[in-house]
């Protein structure tokens, strides 16, 4: 299993898509709501050329912007 952190925000359809695709496996990831966590928001903007694009998922230290849910699921289940 990889270290997975998901940066998201409420109302984001792409975040909802990812969450649904991950199902119960999604609970294995660390999650940060960028609307409630200023450091998370700044990180997301930093890795996305100043844009607050979510979901941004960090897998083993490498950021992925709006990744394929299969990639994230694979990282979570090994």
């Amino acid at each position: 299993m990889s270290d997975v952190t998901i940066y998201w925000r409420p109302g984001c359809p792409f975040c909802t898509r990812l969450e649904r695709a991950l199902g119960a496996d999604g609970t294995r990831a660390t999650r940060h709501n960028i609307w409630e966590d200023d450091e998370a928001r700044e990180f997301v903007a930093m890795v996305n050329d100043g844009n607050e694009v979510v979901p941004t998922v960090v897998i083993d230290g490498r950021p992925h912007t709006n990744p394929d849910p299969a990639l994230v699921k694979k990282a979570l289940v090994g």
Side-chain angles (χ1 to χ4, degrees):
M1 183 171 90
S2 298
D3 181 34
V4 177
T5 302
I6 300 172
Y7 296 88
W8 69 285
R9 68 165 174 79
C12 167
F14 301 104
C15 297
T16 301
R17 173 181 162 253
L18 177 62
E19 185 177 329
R20 286 183 180 156
L22 296 178
D25 293 324
T27 62
R28 297 178 180 172
T30 302
R31 297 171 48 90
H32 295 280
N33 177 345
I34 67 165
W35 283 357
E36 295 179 350
D37 183 335
D38 289 337
E39 287 182 23
R41 181 181 42 75
E42 291 170 9
F43 172 79
V44 167
M46 180 185 70
V47 299
N48 289 294
D49 299 319
N51 299 303
E52 296 176 6
V53 181
V54 288
T56 293
V57 180
V58 179
I59 300 171
D60 291 333
R62 182 171 174 223
H64 302 267
T65 303
N66 197 14
D68 183 327
L71 173 73
V72 181
K73 190 166 186 110
K74 181 179 178 183
L76 287 170
V77 298

